[in-house]
Short mmCIF file of all heavy atoms in Angstrom, two decimals:
data_model
loop_
_atom_site.label_atom_id
_atom_site.label_comp_id
_atom_site.label_asym_id
_atom_site.label_seq_id
_atom_site.Cartn_x
_atom_site.Cartn_y
_atom_site.Cartn_z
N PRO A 1 5.43 8.87 15.51
CA PRO A 1 5.98 7.51 15.45
C PRO A 1 4.91 6.44 15.24
O PRO A 1 5.15 5.45 14.53
CB PRO A 1 6.68 7.34 16.81
CG PRO A 1 7.01 8.74 17.23
CD PRO A 1 5.88 9.59 16.72
N LEU A 2 3.72 6.62 15.84
CA LEU A 2 2.66 5.63 15.68
C LEU A 2 2.21 5.55 14.24
O LEU A 2 2.06 4.45 13.67
CB LEU A 2 1.47 5.97 16.59
CG LEU A 2 0.25 5.05 16.46
CD1 LEU A 2 0.62 3.61 16.80
CD2 LEU A 2 -0.89 5.54 17.35
N THR A 3 1.98 6.70 13.61
CA THR A 3 1.56 6.71 12.20
C THR A 3 2.64 6.08 11.32
O THR A 3 2.33 5.29 10.42
CB THR A 3 1.26 8.14 11.74
OG1 THR A 3 0.21 8.68 12.55
CG2 THR A 3 0.83 8.16 10.29
N ALA A 4 3.90 6.45 11.56
CA ALA A 4 4.99 5.88 10.77
C ALA A 4 5.06 4.37 10.92
O ALA A 4 5.31 3.64 9.95
CB ALA A 4 6.32 6.52 11.18
N ASP A 5 4.82 3.86 12.14
CA ASP A 5 4.86 2.41 12.38
C ASP A 5 3.73 1.71 11.65
O ASP A 5 3.94 0.67 11.01
CB ASP A 5 4.77 2.15 13.88
CG ASP A 5 4.73 0.65 14.20
OD1 ASP A 5 5.71 -0.05 13.86
OD2 ASP A 5 3.73 0.19 14.76
N VAL A 6 2.51 2.28 11.71
CA VAL A 6 1.37 1.66 11.04
C VAL A 6 1.59 1.63 9.53
O VAL A 6 1.40 0.59 8.87
CB VAL A 6 0.07 2.43 11.38
CG1 VAL A 6 -1.08 1.95 10.50
CG2 VAL A 6 -0.27 2.25 12.86
N VAL A 7 2.03 2.74 8.96
CA VAL A 7 2.29 2.80 7.52
C VAL A 7 3.38 1.80 7.14
O VAL A 7 3.26 1.06 6.16
CB VAL A 7 2.67 4.22 7.09
CG1 VAL A 7 3.18 4.24 5.65
CG2 VAL A 7 1.48 5.16 7.24
N GLY A 8 4.45 1.76 7.93
CA GLY A 8 5.55 0.86 7.63
C GLY A 8 5.13 -0.60 7.62
O GLY A 8 5.59 -1.38 6.78
N ARG A 9 4.25 -1.00 8.53
CA ARG A 9 3.80 -2.39 8.58
C ARG A 9 3.03 -2.77 7.32
O ARG A 9 3.22 -3.86 6.76
CB ARG A 9 2.93 -2.62 9.81
CG ARG A 9 3.67 -2.54 11.14
CD ARG A 9 2.77 -2.96 12.27
NE ARG A 9 3.40 -2.76 13.57
CZ ARG A 9 3.11 -3.45 14.66
NH1 ARG A 9 2.21 -4.42 14.58
NH2 ARG A 9 3.70 -3.20 15.80
N PHE A 10 2.15 -1.90 6.87
CA PHE A 10 1.37 -2.21 5.68
C PHE A 10 2.24 -2.16 4.42
O PHE A 10 1.99 -2.91 3.47
CB PHE A 10 0.19 -1.25 5.56
CG PHE A 10 -0.95 -1.58 6.47
CD1 PHE A 10 -1.20 -0.80 7.60
CD2 PHE A 10 -1.77 -2.67 6.24
CE1 PHE A 10 -2.25 -1.10 8.46
CE2 PHE A 10 -2.82 -2.98 7.08
CZ PHE A 10 -3.06 -2.18 8.21
N VAL A 11 3.26 -1.32 4.41
CA VAL A 11 4.18 -1.28 3.26
C VAL A 11 5.00 -2.57 3.20
O VAL A 11 5.16 -3.18 2.15
CB VAL A 11 5.09 -0.04 3.33
CG1 VAL A 11 6.21 -0.14 2.29
CG2 VAL A 11 4.29 1.24 3.08
N ARG A 12 5.52 -2.98 4.35
CA ARG A 12 6.33 -4.21 4.38
C ARG A 12 5.50 -5.44 4.03
O ARG A 12 6.03 -6.41 3.47
CB ARG A 12 6.97 -4.38 5.76
CG ARG A 12 8.09 -3.41 6.04
CD ARG A 12 8.85 -3.80 7.30
NE ARG A 12 8.03 -3.66 8.49
CZ ARG A 12 7.89 -2.54 9.19
NH1 ARG A 12 8.50 -1.43 8.80
NH2 ARG A 12 7.13 -2.51 10.28
N ALA A 13 4.21 -5.41 4.33
CA ALA A 13 3.32 -6.53 3.99
C ALA A 13 2.86 -6.47 2.54
O ALA A 13 2.07 -7.31 2.11
CB ALA A 13 2.11 -6.54 4.92
N ARG A 14 3.33 -5.46 1.79
CA ARG A 14 3.00 -5.29 0.36
C ARG A 14 1.55 -4.89 0.15
O ARG A 14 1.06 -4.94 -0.97
CB ARG A 14 3.27 -6.58 -0.44
CG ARG A 14 4.64 -7.18 -0.25
CD ARG A 14 5.72 -6.39 -0.89
NE ARG A 14 6.94 -7.15 -1.08
CZ ARG A 14 8.06 -6.66 -1.55
NH1 ARG A 14 8.13 -5.39 -1.91
NH2 ARG A 14 9.13 -7.40 -1.71
N VAL A 15 0.86 -4.48 1.21
CA VAL A 15 -0.53 -4.03 1.06
C VAL A 15 -0.56 -2.60 0.51
O VAL A 15 -1.39 -2.26 -0.31
CB VAL A 15 -1.27 -4.10 2.41
CG1 VAL A 15 -2.68 -3.53 2.29
CG2 VAL A 15 -1.30 -5.54 2.91
N LEU A 16 0.38 -1.77 0.99
CA LEU A 16 0.51 -0.40 0.52
C LEU A 16 1.78 -0.25 -0.28
O LEU A 16 2.78 -0.94 -0.04
CB LEU A 16 0.54 0.59 1.69
CG LEU A 16 -0.73 0.70 2.54
CD1 LEU A 16 -0.52 1.76 3.63
CD2 LEU A 16 -1.93 1.05 1.69
N VAL A 17 1.74 0.65 -1.23
CA VAL A 17 2.91 1.00 -2.04
C VAL A 17 3.27 2.44 -1.71
O VAL A 17 2.40 3.33 -1.72
CB VAL A 17 2.60 0.87 -3.55
CG1 VAL A 17 3.82 1.28 -4.37
CG2 VAL A 17 2.20 -0.55 -3.87
N ARG A 18 4.53 2.67 -1.44
CA ARG A 18 4.98 4.03 -1.13
C ARG A 18 6.01 4.45 -2.16
O ARG A 18 7.00 3.76 -2.40
CB ARG A 18 5.59 4.09 0.27
CG ARG A 18 6.04 5.50 0.65
CD ARG A 18 6.33 5.61 2.12
NE ARG A 18 6.62 7.00 2.48
CZ ARG A 18 6.61 7.48 3.70
NH1 ARG A 18 6.33 6.68 4.71
NH2 ARG A 18 6.89 8.74 3.95
N ASP A 19 5.76 5.62 -2.77
CA ASP A 19 6.77 6.18 -3.67
C ASP A 19 7.29 7.47 -3.04
O ASP A 19 7.27 7.62 -1.82
CB ASP A 19 6.21 6.37 -5.08
CG ASP A 19 4.97 7.26 -5.11
OD1 ASP A 19 4.75 8.02 -4.14
OD2 ASP A 19 4.22 7.19 -6.09
N ALA A 20 7.75 8.42 -3.85
CA ALA A 20 8.43 9.58 -3.31
C ALA A 20 7.57 10.36 -2.32
O ALA A 20 8.04 10.79 -1.28
CB ALA A 20 8.89 10.48 -4.45
N HIS A 21 6.32 10.57 -2.63
CA HIS A 21 5.49 11.45 -1.79
C HIS A 21 4.13 10.87 -1.46
O HIS A 21 3.36 11.52 -0.75
CB HIS A 21 5.28 12.80 -2.49
CG HIS A 21 6.56 13.49 -2.85
ND1 HIS A 21 7.42 13.99 -1.91
CD2 HIS A 21 7.12 13.74 -4.07
CE1 HIS A 21 8.46 14.54 -2.52
NE2 HIS A 21 8.31 14.40 -3.81
N ARG A 22 3.79 9.69 -1.96
CA ARG A 22 2.41 9.23 -1.81
C ARG A 22 2.33 7.76 -1.40
O ARG A 22 3.26 6.99 -1.60
CB ARG A 22 1.64 9.42 -3.13
CG ARG A 22 1.46 10.88 -3.48
CD ARG A 22 0.58 11.03 -4.70
NE ARG A 22 0.27 12.42 -4.96
CZ ARG A 22 -0.56 12.83 -5.91
NH1 ARG A 22 -1.16 11.95 -6.69
NH2 ARG A 22 -0.81 14.11 -6.08
N LEU A 23 1.16 7.43 -0.84
CA LEU A 23 0.82 6.06 -0.50
C LEU A 23 -0.39 5.65 -1.33
O LEU A 23 -1.29 6.46 -1.57
CB LEU A 23 0.46 5.95 0.98
CG LEU A 23 1.58 6.01 2.01
CD1 LEU A 23 0.99 6.19 3.40
CD2 LEU A 23 2.43 4.76 1.97
N ARG A 24 -0.41 4.39 -1.74
CA ARG A 24 -1.58 3.88 -2.46
C ARG A 24 -1.71 2.38 -2.18
O ARG A 24 -0.74 1.73 -1.74
CB ARG A 24 -1.45 4.12 -3.97
CG ARG A 24 -0.22 3.52 -4.60
CD ARG A 24 -0.23 3.70 -6.11
NE ARG A 24 -0.32 5.09 -6.50
CZ ARG A 24 0.72 5.92 -6.60
NH1 ARG A 24 1.93 5.47 -6.31
NH2 ARG A 24 0.57 7.15 -6.98
N LEU A 25 -2.90 1.86 -2.40
CA LEU A 25 -3.10 0.42 -2.25
C LEU A 25 -2.35 -0.33 -3.34
O LEU A 25 -2.20 0.17 -4.47
CB LEU A 25 -4.58 0.09 -2.34
CG LEU A 25 -5.43 0.36 -1.09
CD1 LEU A 25 -6.90 0.24 -1.43
CD2 LEU A 25 -5.06 -0.60 0.03
N ALA A 26 -1.88 -1.55 -3.00
CA ALA A 26 -1.14 -2.34 -3.97
C ALA A 26 -2.00 -2.66 -5.19
O ALA A 26 -1.48 -2.76 -6.30
CB ALA A 26 -0.64 -3.64 -3.34
N HIS A 27 -3.30 -2.80 -4.99
CA HIS A 27 -4.18 -3.04 -6.13
C HIS A 27 -5.61 -2.71 -5.72
O HIS A 27 -6.01 -2.94 -4.57
CB HIS A 27 -4.10 -4.50 -6.61
CG HIS A 27 -4.63 -4.68 -7.99
ND1 HIS A 27 -5.97 -4.80 -8.26
CD2 HIS A 27 -4.01 -4.75 -9.18
CE1 HIS A 27 -6.14 -4.94 -9.56
NE2 HIS A 27 -4.97 -4.91 -10.14
N GLU A 28 -6.37 -2.16 -6.67
CA GLU A 28 -7.74 -1.77 -6.38
C GLU A 28 -8.64 -2.96 -6.06
O GLU A 28 -9.71 -2.79 -5.46
CB GLU A 28 -8.32 -1.01 -7.57
CG GLU A 28 -8.36 -1.81 -8.85
CD GLU A 28 -8.55 -0.94 -10.07
OE1 GLU A 28 -8.31 0.26 -9.98
OE2 GLU A 28 -8.95 -1.49 -11.10
N ALA A 29 -8.22 -4.17 -6.44
CA ALA A 29 -9.03 -5.35 -6.12
C ALA A 29 -9.17 -5.56 -4.62
O ALA A 29 -10.10 -6.22 -4.16
CB ALA A 29 -8.41 -6.59 -6.76
N VAL A 30 -8.27 -4.98 -3.83
CA VAL A 30 -8.36 -5.10 -2.37
C VAL A 30 -9.65 -4.46 -1.87
O VAL A 30 -10.19 -4.85 -0.84
CB VAL A 30 -7.14 -4.43 -1.71
CG1 VAL A 30 -7.16 -4.64 -0.19
CG2 VAL A 30 -5.85 -5.00 -2.28
N LEU A 31 -10.16 -3.45 -2.58
CA LEU A 31 -11.37 -2.75 -2.15
C LEU A 31 -12.53 -3.71 -1.96
O LEU A 31 -13.29 -3.61 -0.99
CB LEU A 31 -11.77 -1.69 -3.18
CG LEU A 31 -10.85 -0.46 -3.31
CD1 LEU A 31 -11.38 0.44 -4.40
CD2 LEU A 31 -10.75 0.27 -1.99
N ASP A 32 -12.69 -4.64 -2.89
CA ASP A 32 -13.80 -5.59 -2.81
C ASP A 32 -13.46 -6.83 -2.00
O ASP A 32 -14.36 -7.50 -1.49
CB ASP A 32 -14.23 -6.00 -4.22
CG ASP A 32 -14.77 -4.82 -5.02
OD1 ASP A 32 -15.45 -3.98 -4.41
OD2 ASP A 32 -14.48 -4.74 -6.22
N ALA A 33 -12.16 -7.14 -1.90
CA ALA A 33 -11.78 -8.38 -1.23
C ALA A 33 -11.65 -8.23 0.28
O ALA A 33 -11.81 -9.21 1.01
CB ALA A 33 -10.46 -8.89 -1.81
N TRP A 34 -11.36 -7.03 0.77
CA TRP A 34 -11.17 -6.84 2.21
C TRP A 34 -12.46 -6.31 2.80
O TRP A 34 -12.90 -5.19 2.48
CB TRP A 34 -10.02 -5.86 2.47
CG TRP A 34 -9.54 -5.86 3.89
CD1 TRP A 34 -9.75 -6.82 4.83
CD2 TRP A 34 -8.76 -4.84 4.53
NE1 TRP A 34 -9.15 -6.48 6.02
CE2 TRP A 34 -8.53 -5.28 5.86
CE3 TRP A 34 -8.22 -3.63 4.11
CZ2 TRP A 34 -7.80 -4.52 6.77
CZ3 TRP A 34 -7.49 -2.87 5.01
CH2 TRP A 34 -7.27 -3.31 6.33
N PRO A 35 -13.12 -7.06 3.68
CA PRO A 35 -14.42 -6.62 4.21
C PRO A 35 -14.38 -5.25 4.87
O PRO A 35 -15.36 -4.51 4.83
CB PRO A 35 -14.77 -7.72 5.23
CG PRO A 35 -14.04 -8.93 4.74
CD PRO A 35 -12.76 -8.41 4.14
N ARG A 36 -13.25 -4.88 5.48
CA ARG A 36 -13.19 -3.58 6.15
C ARG A 36 -13.26 -2.41 5.17
O ARG A 36 -13.51 -1.27 5.59
CB ARG A 36 -11.89 -3.47 6.96
CG ARG A 36 -11.83 -4.44 8.12
CD ARG A 36 -10.60 -4.22 8.98
NE ARG A 36 -10.46 -5.28 9.95
CZ ARG A 36 -11.09 -5.30 11.13
NH1 ARG A 36 -11.90 -4.31 11.45
NH2 ARG A 36 -10.92 -6.31 11.96
N LEU A 37 -13.02 -2.66 3.90
CA LEU A 37 -13.06 -1.59 2.91
C LEU A 37 -14.32 -1.63 2.06
O LEU A 37 -14.54 -0.72 1.26
CB LEU A 37 -11.84 -1.67 1.98
CG LEU A 37 -10.49 -1.35 2.60
CD1 LEU A 37 -9.42 -1.38 1.53
CD2 LEU A 37 -10.50 0.00 3.29
N ARG A 38 -15.13 -2.67 2.21
CA ARG A 38 -16.30 -2.77 1.34
C ARG A 38 -17.31 -1.67 1.64
O ARG A 38 -17.89 -1.09 0.74
CB ARG A 38 -16.97 -4.14 1.53
CG ARG A 38 -16.21 -5.26 0.83
CD ARG A 38 -16.87 -6.59 1.08
NE ARG A 38 -16.04 -7.69 0.57
CZ ARG A 38 -16.15 -8.94 0.99
NH1 ARG A 38 -17.05 -9.25 1.91
NH2 ARG A 38 -15.37 -9.88 0.49
N ASP A 39 -17.56 -1.40 2.92
CA ASP A 39 -18.49 -0.34 3.29
C ASP A 39 -17.70 0.94 3.49
O ASP A 39 -17.05 1.13 4.50
CB ASP A 39 -19.24 -0.70 4.57
CG ASP A 39 -20.24 0.38 4.98
OD1 ASP A 39 -20.47 1.29 4.16
OD2 ASP A 39 -20.77 0.32 6.09
N ARG A 40 -17.76 1.83 2.50
CA ARG A 40 -17.00 3.07 2.57
C ARG A 40 -17.92 4.27 2.78
O ARG A 40 -17.58 5.40 2.46
CB ARG A 40 -16.17 3.24 1.29
CG ARG A 40 -15.24 2.06 1.05
CD ARG A 40 -14.21 2.37 0.03
NE ARG A 40 -14.73 2.60 -1.29
CZ ARG A 40 -15.06 1.65 -2.16
NH1 ARG A 40 -14.95 0.39 -1.82
NH2 ARG A 40 -15.52 1.95 -3.37
N SER A 41 -19.13 4.01 3.31
CA SER A 41 -20.08 5.10 3.51
C SER A 41 -19.62 6.09 4.55
O SER A 41 -20.08 7.23 4.58
CB SER A 41 -21.44 4.52 3.93
OG SER A 41 -21.30 3.77 5.12
N ASP A 42 -18.68 5.67 5.45
CA ASP A 42 -18.19 6.59 6.48
C ASP A 42 -16.85 7.18 6.08
O ASP A 42 -16.06 7.59 6.91
CB ASP A 42 -18.06 5.86 7.83
CG ASP A 42 -17.03 4.72 7.77
OD1 ASP A 42 -16.70 4.29 6.66
OD2 ASP A 42 -16.58 4.29 8.84
N GLY A 43 -16.55 7.24 4.80
CA GLY A 43 -15.30 7.81 4.33
C GLY A 43 -15.24 9.30 4.57
O GLY A 43 -16.18 9.92 5.08
#
């Protein structure tokens, strides 16, 4: 339920896009614009 709630919040905010089986960011420009995603060395 926690994972479903977190995913649902980002989908409703239009940050994530959900189709039949996958999740993706609404746009790749978020990578550079959101500071939390700029440093991806710990991916």
Side-chain angles (χ1 to χ4, degrees):
L2 177 60
T3 300
D5 177 61
V6 170
V7 170
R9 291 188 186 207
F10 283 106
V11 170
R12 288 191 294 274
R14 310 288 199 184
V15 176
L16 295 182
V17 178
R18 182 167 186 164
D19 57 20
H21 304 292
R22 294 186 173 185
L23 286 167
R24 57 175 58 85
L25 282 169
H27 198 279
E28 60 196 19
V30 184
L31 291 178
D32 296 322
W34 194 18
R36 294 186 189 276
L37 291 184
R38 284 178 188 159
D39 180 11
R40 304 194 294 279
S41 58
D42 63 342

